[in-house]
């Protein structure tokens, strides 16, 4: 996908559309601007009229941040979020393409694999609402009502979508590659690790990005599994924080900003990868 | 069985087992709980189809379906129209194209809960202050406190986030339309609106299908925004189905009853998705 391809209609850039799009950016930036300035203000600076509320702080204060970090146990929550997200991404990229390889290479000739594909992909339509109550019971029974269980559930829940993406992508990897490896005496594992896995690199990036965003931002799964355990992810910390300290807006906004910053940094670093990933994933 | 076949089975079976254990088994359990009066703890009895009969009498459940559908239909239409317009703009010959695409995608990477909290402040304080300042009475009181307006606030926040993803999918759709189609169309006099209506639209139909199905499915399952903005209020006017199942099933002692609600919800989602794919799929055209 070449993102630079444009339709050649007239030679020059379309200025009116560019200007409209620039103005439209305000809808993205305004909520972020509001978050930043409120997070840096002292409570005494908050006024009820609109210009007062949206004015930059007279003195940029970091006090809200240190207090918010303490109340939400920021570093601990951040660590939990990081561990959960990294493990989810790693397991998705290790397990899901393997499943796609076994299924995708066999579903044309063997009914078992075709049914397996349909069975797993149909999981996409199961809403979490129907699973959450039994899931809460089951994970408690298996001693998985913690971040470990959250990771297991993500790996299972993201399987249908990722299987579809990987199986679709696998069609572009010629079968003759595997066959050549087999002729050379390679086992299925060797063919997978040395030929197939490296050949699916662009799809790994897509899956990794989607899994990372999904796991990082999710509230429901950690809430059901870890809620009340005293151990939080970043979104879960916000949820608990909100119910206790909803009146001090400056403090609240500092904690929102703290929750947004890691993902914004991640986005800035791999913006291109994320956008290409979504475009890659969309057309399959 | 050859060793190759054995290896493939050795890969497939554990994955199927994992999926069965953590997806299908809970699904079956949920289905079974729906025939009981289980409260989430203690003992319970089998009560047959009574939960299902009660669901159709329950006005709170009825309201949650009404709200969820109103919300899902309005936001699906709104999101898709705006995304398509935005995608056309971002795909045109403009300056700073990749920077603009990057900016418009930001809302999608932010978490629904925190974004909901930020907008909650916006709707509670900023918008009413703005409404008062310009003398617009409809804006001068908080939408979140009004039963007839709170759903709109949820629509705005959900749309703000999901437009990003849909726009990008439409951009990838627009890039699949070959240039020579436009060139041939231009010779026949298709420009502007007619070019869009007769050339672009039919050719990106598969992308409209996938966006509508995904957007509808996601909207029907709306949860984070409700949790952050309204908690189902005011007066249960924004209680989505997922939120009702969560709050009454997990915390309200209605484990069995809300399981029945969840089963019904599952059936509804499958029926709608299949119907959408059949209906929209039939309108797709191939080059």
């Amino acid at each position: 996908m070449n993102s630079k391809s444009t339709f050649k209609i007239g030679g020059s850039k379309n200025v009116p559309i560019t200007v409209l799009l620039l103005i439209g950016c305000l809808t993205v930036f305004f909520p972020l601007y509001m978050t930043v300035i409120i997070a840096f203000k002292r409570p005494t600076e908050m006024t009820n009229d609109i210009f007062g509320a949206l004015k930059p702080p007279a003195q940029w204060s970091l006090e809200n941040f240190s207090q918010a970090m303490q109340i939400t146990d920021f570093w601990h929550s951040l660590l939990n979020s990081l561990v959960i997200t990294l493990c989810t991404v790693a397991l998705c990229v290790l397990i899901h393409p393997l499943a796609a390889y076994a299924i995708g290479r066999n579903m044309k000739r063997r009914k078992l694999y075709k049914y397996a594909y349909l069975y797993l992909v149909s999981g996409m339509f199961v809403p979490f609402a129907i699973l959450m109550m039994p899931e809460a019971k089951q994970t408690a029974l298996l001693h998985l009502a913690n971040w470990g269980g959250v990771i297991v559930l993500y790996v299972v829940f993201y399987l249908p979508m990722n299987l579809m993406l990987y199986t679709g992508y696998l069609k572009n990897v010629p079968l003759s590659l595997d066959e050549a490896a087999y002729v050379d005496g390679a086992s299925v594992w060797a063919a997978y690790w040395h030929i197939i896995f490296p050949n699916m690199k662009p799809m790994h990036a897509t899956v990794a990005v989607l899994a990372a965003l999904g796991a990082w931002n999710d509230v429901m799964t950690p809430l059901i599994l870890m809620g009340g355990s005293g151990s939080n992810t970043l979104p879960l910390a916000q949820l608990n924080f909100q119910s206790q300290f909803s009146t001090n807006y400056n403090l609240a906004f500092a904690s929102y900003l703290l929750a947004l910053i890691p993902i914004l940094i991640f986005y800035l670093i791999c913006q291109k990868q994320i956008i290409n990933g979504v475009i890659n994933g969309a057309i399959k | 069985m050859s060793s190759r076949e054995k290896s493939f089975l050795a890969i497939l079976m554990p994955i199927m087992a994992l999926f069965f254990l953590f997806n299908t088994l809970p699904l079956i359990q949920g289905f079974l709980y729906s025939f009981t009066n289980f409260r989430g703890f203690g003992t319970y009895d089998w009560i047959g189809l009574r939960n299902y009969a009660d669901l159709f009498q329950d006005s709170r459940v009825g309201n949650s379906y009404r709200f969820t559908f109103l919300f899902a239909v309005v936001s699906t239409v709104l999101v898709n129209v705006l995304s398509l317009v935005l995608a056309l703009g971002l795909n045109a010959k403009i300056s700073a194209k990749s920077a603009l695409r990057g900016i418009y995608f930001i809302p999608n990477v932010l978490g629904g809960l925190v974004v909901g909290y930020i907008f909650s402040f916006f709707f509670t304080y900023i918008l009413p202050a703005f409404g008062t300042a310009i003398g617009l009475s409809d804006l001068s009181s908080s939408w979140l406190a009004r039963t007839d307006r709170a759903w709109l606030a949820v629509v705005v926040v959900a749309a703000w986030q999901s437009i990003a993803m849909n726009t990008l999918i439409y951009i990838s759709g627009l890039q699949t339309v070959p240039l020579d189609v436009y060139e041939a169309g231009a010779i026949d006099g298709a420009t502007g609106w007619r070019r869009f209506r007769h050339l672009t639209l039919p050719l990106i139909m598969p992308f409209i299908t996938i966006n509508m199905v995904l957007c509808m499915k996601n909207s029907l399952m709306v949860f984070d925004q409700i949790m952050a903005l309204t908690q189902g209020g005011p007066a249960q006017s924004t209680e989505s189905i997922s939120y009702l199942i969560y709050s009454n099933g997990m915390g309200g002692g209605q484990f069995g009853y809300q399981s029945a609600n969840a089963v019904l919800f599952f059936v509804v989602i499958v029926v709608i998705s299949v119907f959408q794919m059949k209906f929209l799929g039939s309108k797709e055209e191939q080059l």
Side-chain angles (χ1 to χ4, degrees):
Chain A
M1 188 65 51
N2 179 5
S3 65
K4 286 213 174 78
S5 74
T6 43
F7 304 126
K8 291 200 179 50
I9 312 147
S12 59
K13 308 261 185 194
N14 194 327
V15 178
I17 293 184
T18 309
V19 172
L20 279 177
L21 285 169
L22 282 173
I23 295 171
C25 285
L26 290 179
T27 57
V28 175
F29 284 128
F30 179 75
L32 294 176
Y33 168 78
M34 198 176 80
T35 311
V36 172
I37 58 146
I38 294 176
F40 279 99
K41 273 187 194 178
R42 291 164 194 279
T44 48
E45 261 197 81
M46 296 293 282
T47 52
N48 272 334
D49 75 299
I50 183 160
F51 298 108
L54 293 177
K55 210 171 57 180
Q59 217 183 359
W60 296 76
S61 145
L62 282 171
E63 218 172 281
N64 298 323
F65 290 92
S66 57
Q67 218 182 327
M69 283 170 103
Q70 212 172 13
I71 297 174
T72 57
D73 200 357
F74 177 77
W75 295 112
H76 193 203
S77 310
L78 180 74
L79 183 70
N80 277 335
S81 275
L82 274 176
V83 169
I84 289 176
T85 305
L86 289 177
C87 291
T88 302
V89 169
L91 288 171
C92 282
V93 170
L94 283 176
I95 295 175
H96 295 167
L98 196 57
Y101 180 54
I103 290 171
R105 285 300 194 228
N106 291 300
M107 62 193 274
K108 280 253 168 58
R109 6 174 244 111
R110 304 215 28 198
K111 280 253 155 47
L112 169 71
Y113 291 90
K114 197 185 157 202
Y115 290 136
Y117 180 76
L118 291 176
Y119 166 60
L120 296 175
V121 167
S122 65
M124 228 178 334
F125 292 98
V126 180
F128 186 61
I130 191 171
L131 299 176
M132 64 184 162
M133 293 180 279
E135 212 85 75
K137 290 261 159 223
Q138 192 183 3
T139 49
L141 201 70
L142 296 171
H143 300 288
L144 279 174
N146 48 41
W147 57 266
V150 174
I151 294 169
V152 172
L153 288 196
Y154 286 153
V155 172
V156 170
F157 291 157
Y158 298 161
L159 175 64
M161 181 72 176
N162 291 344
L163 181 64
M164 214 170 82
L165 292 175
Y166 274 123
T167 318
Y169 193 82
L170 200 60
K171 287 175 190 153
N172 303 331
V173 182
L175 199 58
S176 53
L177 281 182
D178 325 25
E179 273 157 8
Y182 295 149
V183 168
D184 288 347
S187 66
V188 167
W189 296 98
Y192 173 75
W193 277 115
H194 298 298
I195 314 282
I196 304 300
F197 191 82
N199 261 297
M200 294 203 286
K201 244 184 211 151
M203 201 31 91
H204 294 321
T206 303
V207 164
V209 161
L210 294 179
L213 291 180
W216 185 269
N217 288 326
D218 185 40
V219 192
M220 252 200 175
T221 317
L223 175 63
I224 303 286
L225 265 63
M226 301 160 62
S229 70
S231 185
N232 287 329
T233 60
L234 276 184
L236 211 51
Q238 301 306 313
L239 192 68
N240 296 341
F241 175 80
Q242 176 71 14
S243 50
Q244 291 171 51
F245 301 93
S246 57
T247 43
N248 186 339
Y249 288 106
N250 306 91
L251 197 56
F253 273 72
S255 88
Y256 304 157
L257 197 54
L258 285 170
L260 293 182
I261 285 170
I263 195 76
L264 279 175
I265 292 174
F266 174 68
Y267 180 63
L268 281 181
I269 294 171
C270 35
Q271 182 202 345
K272 204 166 189 168
Q273 196 62 258
I274 290 176
I275 289 187
N276 287 343
V278 173
I279 288 180
N280 260 329
I283 48 178
K284 287 291 156 346
Chain B
M1 203 190 290
S2 75
S3 74
R4 215 177 298 159
E5 305 254 332
K6 269 187 202 152
S7 307
F8 278 128
L9 274 179
I11 297 168
L12 183 68
M13 286 310 158
I15 290 168
M16 295 270 279
L18 192 72
F19 190 79
F20 180 82
L21 183 62
F22 289 100
N23 197 306
T24 311
L25 192 64
L27 184 68
I28 295 169
Q29 281 177 319
F31 188 66
L32 292 178
Y33 279 129
S34 76
F35 299 109
T36 70
N37 60 2
F38 192 36
R39 285 168 298 158
F41 51 87
T43 57
Y44 58 91
D45 295 314
W46 294 89
I47 56 166
L49 289 169
R50 199 161 77 214
N51 282 333
Y52 290 91
D54 289 347
L55 275 180
F56 290 95
Q57 313 277 324
D58 189 333
S59 64
R60 190 167 175 188
V61 172
N63 278 336
S64 77
Y65 275 82
R66 197 173 318 133
F67 162 72
T68 308
F69 274 90
L70 175 72
F71 167 79
V73 170
V74 171
S75 50
T76 303
V77 172
L78 187 75
V79 164
N80 278 283
V81 170
L82 290 177
S83 304
L84 192 51
V85 171
L86 196 54
L88 286 167
L90 288 170
N91 205 44
K93 212 167 157 51
I94 51 168
S95 313
K97 179 178 284 187
S98 54
L100 279 168
R101 285 182 181 179
I103 290 167
Y104 277 108
F105 195 67
I106 291 175
N108 191 263
V109 302
L110 308 178
L113 191 76
V114 172
V115 166
Y117 287 145
I118 293 168
F119 271 93
S120 162
F121 184 85
F122 173 76
F123 282 115
T124 313
Y125 297 97
I126 305 290
L127 201 59
F130 177 71
T132 314
I134 64 164
L136 202 65
S137 64
D138 192 58
L139 288 179
S140 56
S141 66
S142 168
W143 277 7
L144 293 177
R146 291 172 52 183
T147 52
D148 61 334
R149 279 286 181 276
W151 72 276
L152 262 182
V154 184
V155 168
V156 170
V157 179
W160 187 78
Q161 286 206 288
S162 49
I163 282 173
M165 178 66 108
N166 285 268
T167 301
L168 221 49
I169 297 178
Y170 278 130
I171 289 175
S172 70
L174 290 171
Q175 288 178 343
T176 63
V177 182
L179 268 181
D180 46 3
V181 171
Y182 287 131
E183 280 162 13
I187 295 169
D188 292 337
T191 49
W193 168 252
R194 287 173 58 196
R195 189 179 78 149
F196 173 73
R197 170 74 188 77
H198 296 289
L199 295 176
T200 312
L201 209 54
L203 288 172
I204 58 163
M205 209 56 207
F207 293 87
I208 296 181
T209 308
I210 193 164
N211 265 348
M212 295 284 261
V213 173
L214 286 179
C215 195
M216 189 77 181
K217 195 184 70 149
N218 290 340
S219 306
L220 286 173
M221 297 185 199
V222 62
F223 181 83
D224 295 5
Q225 287 87 355
I226 307 282
M227 193 90 173
L229 279 172
T230 63
Q231 310 237 326
Q236 293 165 9
S237 63
T238 61
E239 201 163 54
S240 74
I241 303 169
S242 294
Y243 189 80
L244 178 64
I245 294 172
Y246 165 75
S247 66
N248 279 11
M250 300 293 295
Q254 296 184 343
F255 206 109
Y257 182 59
Q258 291 302 340
S259 291
N261 193 6
V263 171
L264 182 68
F265 183 42
F266 176 40
V267 173
V268 166
I269 284 190
V270 170
V271 168
I272 288 175
S273 300
V274 170
F275 175 79
Q276 265 185 318
M277 279 192 276
K278 277 240 151 77
F279 178 74
L280 290 168
S282 69
K283 299 200 159 195
E284 285 176 13
E285 284 180 36
Q286 299 288 318
L287 258 185

